[in-house]
Amino acid sequence: AIPSVPILLVTIIFRYESPHFLVGRGELGRAADVLLKMSTFNRQPLDGLSITSRERLIQILHQAYITAKEEIKMPVVSLFQRRYIRTTILASIAFICQTAGYWGVTLFLPAQLEKLNVNGYFNTFAVFLAEFPGILLVAIIIEWPEIGRLNTLRLFSAMTICFMALFGIVQTPVATTVFSMLLYFSMVPIFGILYTYVSEVYPTRARSVALAYMNFMVSLPGLITPFISGYLVDVDIVWLYPVVWAGVYAVQLCTALLLRHETREAELLE
């Protein structure tokens, strides 16, 4: 419950709702107030508009509200139209592999480390600390034009496979600690890469539906992953536990190689 406290404080401090959401609900006055406060806080005029009058801004938002009412949100089946079906299927597989691989390793990681004569709980804490440099690195290179979203995904999937395999094969205490930290360095940021890609590859009318669908895909591995992971950690073959999940990430890498539409410098679809 303790992590919920700062989240509550953030929601109290940053209590303004999205103007897009407010316009969609017809709350034009609240939307105008938020936009004017954003303009004041950023010390920038509203994009392309020299508006200081709240009433004039509400008039413009009213036109946007009418346009929004005329637009029809795309249903989930639209994700499987000919234009998007390849991306939807491949992204779904990538999300399923990510969740299965991450929780497959994490659920019984202390028990696996104890089998290797390593302090399980101390090293579990250490590997979680190793996540942060990986997240920071992804936040930097994902914006590089030479790399972009898909190559970042492919790079970190490949790194995860390598570190996962080394974690299972090289079984000295020091090597186990090092490779487990490198594993989480590369594995955890993939969640952010996938969500960034999905939020950009679909048009605006389908974006929220696409993200909701992918969240559903994320929940599916939780039905079976604990049972598979528990079985693998009980098997006498020590290397089997990480190598199986490395295979899951190999499937993810294959799907990443099949994805074609790079969104780094592409216009967002409307």
Side-chain angles (χ1 to χ4, degrees), residues 10 24 34 49 57 71 84 86 95 107 118 121 126 150 152-154 157 160 171 179-180 198 200 242 256:
V10 168
V34 173
L49 301 171
L57 181 55
E71 290 182 352
Y84 307 116
R86 178 189 177 91
F95 267 102
L107 284 173
V118 177
Y121 293 99
L150 291 181
T152 304
L153 174 60
R154 294 160 185 162
S157 292
T160 299
Q171 296 178 2
F179 288 129
S180 62
V198 168
E200 294 175 342

Side-chain angles (χ1 to χ4, degrees), residues 117-131:
N117 298 317
V118 177
N119 187 315
Y121 293 99
F122 173 79
N123 280 274
T124 300
F125 177 72
V127 299
F128 288 144
L129 291 180
E131 298 174 9

Side-chain angles (χ1 to χ4, degrees), residues 3 15 27 58 70 80 154 175 178 207 218 223 250 257 259 263:
R15 60 187 180 277
E27 299 183 38
I58 290 175
E70 292 173 351
F80 295 91
R154 294 160 185 162
V178 171
R207 196 163 295 135
V218 165
L223 299 173
L257 292 170
L259 285 168
T263 62

Side-chain angles (χ1 to χ4, degrees), residues 112 115-116 168 171 231-244:
Q112 177 70 9
K115 287 174 64 176
L116 298 170
Q171 296 178 2
Y231 169 77
L232 291 174
V233 81
D234 286 337
V235 173
D236 291 334
I237 306 173
V238 178
W239 55 262
L240 186 63
Y241 179 81
V243 169
V244 166

Side-chain angles (χ1 to χ4, degrees), residues 32 34-40 44-52 57:
V34 173
L35 286 170
L36 291 171
K37 287 174 181 176
M38 289 170 62
S39 178
T40 302
Q44 295 289 333
L46 296 174
D47 189 20
L49 301 171
S50 55
I51 298 174
T52 55
L57 181 55

Side-chain angles (χ1 to χ4, degrees), residues 156-179:
F156 274 73
S157 292
M159 289 167 58
T160 299
I161 295 168
C162 294
F163 295 143
M164 190 95 72
L166 290 169
F167 170 64
I169 296 171
V170 184
Q171 296 178 2
T172 63
V174 174
T176 297
T177 300
V178 171
F179 288 129

Side-chain angles (χ1 to χ4, degrees), residues 19-259:
H20 183 275
F21 172 77
L22 293 172
V23 170
R25 288 172 56 97
E27 299 183 38
L28 306 183
R30 288 183 63 194
D33 291 338
V34 173
L35 286 170
L36 291 171
K37 287 174 181 176
M38 289 170 62
S39 178
T40 302
F41 181 82
N42 293 318
R43 298 179 181 178
Q44 295 289 333
L46 296 174
D47 189 20
L49 301 171
S50 55
I51 298 174
T52 55
S53 169
R54 182 176 183 272
E55 290 71 22
R56 174 61 181 145
L57 181 55
I58 290 175
Q59 291 177 6
I60 294 175
L61 292 176
H62 179 69
Q63 184 59 46
Y65 172 68
I66 294 173
T67 302
K69 292 284 284 185
E70 292 173 351
E71 290 182 352
I72 300 174
K73 291 291 184 182
M74 297 173 68
V76 68
V77 293
S78 66
L79 303 179
F80 295 91
Q81 293 175 354
R82 184 176 180 179
R83 183 179 182 183
Y84 307 116
I85 186 169
R86 178 189 177 91
T87 299
T88 299
I89 292 174
L90 292 175
S92 299
I93 296 172
F95 267 102
I96 289 172
C97 290
Q98 175 63 17
T99 309
Y102 173 79
W103 288 113
V105 174
T106 304
L107 284 173
F108 292 94
L109 180 62
Q112 177 70 9
L113 292 171
E114 292 291 347
K115 287 174 64 176
L116 298 170
N117 298 317
V118 177
N119 187 315
Y121 293 99
F122 173 79
N123 280 274
T124 300
F125 177 72
V127 299
F128 288 144
L129 291 180
E131 298 174 9
F132 297 103
I135 294 170
L136 179 61
L137 179 61
V138 163
I140 295 171
I141 69 172
I142 200 172
E143 293 296 337
W144 289 358
E146 300 82 2
I147 298 181
R149 279 61 164 142
L150 291 181
N151 284 332
T152 304
L153 174 60
R154 294 160 185 162
L155 172 63
F156 274 73
S157 292
M159 289 167 58
T160 299
I161 295 168
C162 294
F163 295 143
M164 190 95 72
L166 290 169
F167 170 64
I169 296 171
V170 184
Q171 296 178 2
T172 63
V174 174
T176 297
T177 300
V178 171
F179 288 129
S180 62
M181 293 179 69
L182 290 172
L183 169 60
Y184 277 77
F185 168 87
S186 62
M187 178 172 62
V188 173
I190 297 176
F191 280 109
I193 302 170
L194 288 171
Y195 277 113
T196 300
Y197 180 74
V198 168
S199 66
E200 294 175 342
V201 75
Y202 292 98
T204 300
R205 291 188 298 153
R207 196 163 295 135
S208 58
V209 173
L211 288 170
Y213 171 78
M214 295 304 167
N215 278 328
F216 172 72
M217 291 294 104
V218 165
S219 67
L220 291 180
L223 299 173
I224 59 171
T225 299
F227 302 102
I228 298 174
S229 186
Y231 169 77
L232 291 174
V233 81
D234 286 337
V235 173
D236 291 334
I237 306 173
V238 178
W239 55 262
L240 186 63
Y241 179 81
V243 169
V244 166
W245 301 118
V248 172
Y249 275 95
V251 175
Q252 183 189 76
L253 177 58
C254 291
T255 63
L257 292 170
L258 292 173
L259 285 168

